[in-house]
Amino acid sequence: MKVKEWDADYDVIVLGFGGAGATAARFAADNGAKVLLVDAAPFGHEGGNTRYSAQHVAMAYNFDKLAKYYHKLAAPFTIPEKTLDTYLHGMVNMPKYFEKYLDVKAFQWSRNVKSGDKLDKKDHMAEYPEYDGSKTFDFALVHNRDFDAALWKLLRKKVLDRKENIDIWLNSKAKDLIQDSEKRAIIGVAIERNHHLYYIHAKNGVVLATGGFENNNQLQQNFLHISHLTPFGTLYNKGAGVIMAAKVGAQLWHMSNYESLGVIPGYTFAEDEGHRGRQIGHWNLLYSGSIFAIANDGTRFMKEDAKFRHGHIYTHGDYVIPHAYDNAWLVMDEWMRFKKKKSKLQKKKVN
């Protein structure tokens, strides 16, 4: 895309005002940059999935043990060691980062939890406790409760505290990355705002923090072989970053992997288009009694009591994401329906 005239100049443009985008904008500003922070969501809905998440931040106490654990998680696939080391060092240093950058002493779940704290009881912190190195894994929180957007509010405040150096455009959609035709460097972004297309120049780079494509059915079909997913988080992650990056020649990586929660791995109750899914707090009610999951042909397709591993289930010696059928159903008898009524777990279509 050629641009004859820029509408504005910034040192750095950050696309996406979730946890990653907020952090990128904050640190760019702290290093003297004038920043434009852009998000497709309207006011009150910005924050990406960080806003809706449990507010848990993965952390650990021992690098070597953590490395063993993550290599086992990745096996048999390879991971760039430099990328993995950066990630793991960040986890080990997370409590220090909380104090240094968020002005909060991290609440370390396994060490600080007390009776009366508004947190679920955990027998172990790591999701795969049987793997070597898992015991070093823990969660850092900003206080002794979760699912309250506390971390997101803190990250947002750090951005607003720097309003002299960070301009925020909400309800604004990044449409294209603008690339230098000779050097191939990304030098700006075309942004649709108030029904007008603006061409914004970035002197020192563009940060893509636009999230995934859980609200883009076409990309779900292309990469996941699924026709429709019901998102638990934001309704504004539509794969814009993936699409823009591909246009300028970026290589895509691990596009078939996704994280899912729900009643049974990968499923939640179906909702109308444009509505967030409901996470069922008592998904373990499937573990016993006269209740099972079936596909459209009336056959079962998984163990209903499969252990919860962010959508992955154990099958033939490995943990995999199960195929998500377009239509799946929970079936139970009247006694079970009555027993589960208080938790609203009734015969319903799920997806």
Side-chain angles (χ1 to χ4, degrees), residues 167-232:
D167 291 339
I168 302 173
W169 284 11
L170 298 179
N171 203 19
S172 303
K173 298 179 181 180
K175 307 297 287 186
D176 284 291
L177 299 174
I178 300 170
Q179 189 174 38
D180 184 285
S181 59
E182 294 182 0
K183 297 181 180 179
R184 308 294 289 171
I186 304 303
I187 57 174
V189 186
I191 302 170
E192 185 180 289
R193 177 176 171 82
N194 296 328
H195 308 291
H196 183 80
L197 194 62
Y198 294 92
Y199 298 97
I200 312 299
H201 182 231
K203 299 176 184 176
N204 297 316
V206 176
V207 177
L208 278 179
T210 51
F213 51 88
E214 61 267 34
N215 297 283
N216 185 317
N217 293 348
Q218 186 60 54
L219 292 184
Q220 291 166 20
Q221 292 179 48
N222 292 350
F223 296 120
L224 305 178
H225 295 175
I226 296 171
S227 64
H228 175 72
L229 291 175
T230 298
F232 276 129

Side-chain angles (χ1 to χ4, degrees), residues 2-35:
K2 293 184 179 180
V3 177
K4 292 183 178 179
E5 184 176 351
W6 298 105
D7 293 298
D9 284 284
Y10 285 86
D11 295 312
V12 175
I13 301 174
V14 178
L15 303 180
F17 190 8
T23 302
R26 174 259 177 95
F27 283 113
D30 286 350
N31 282 276
K34 182 65 176 178
V35 182

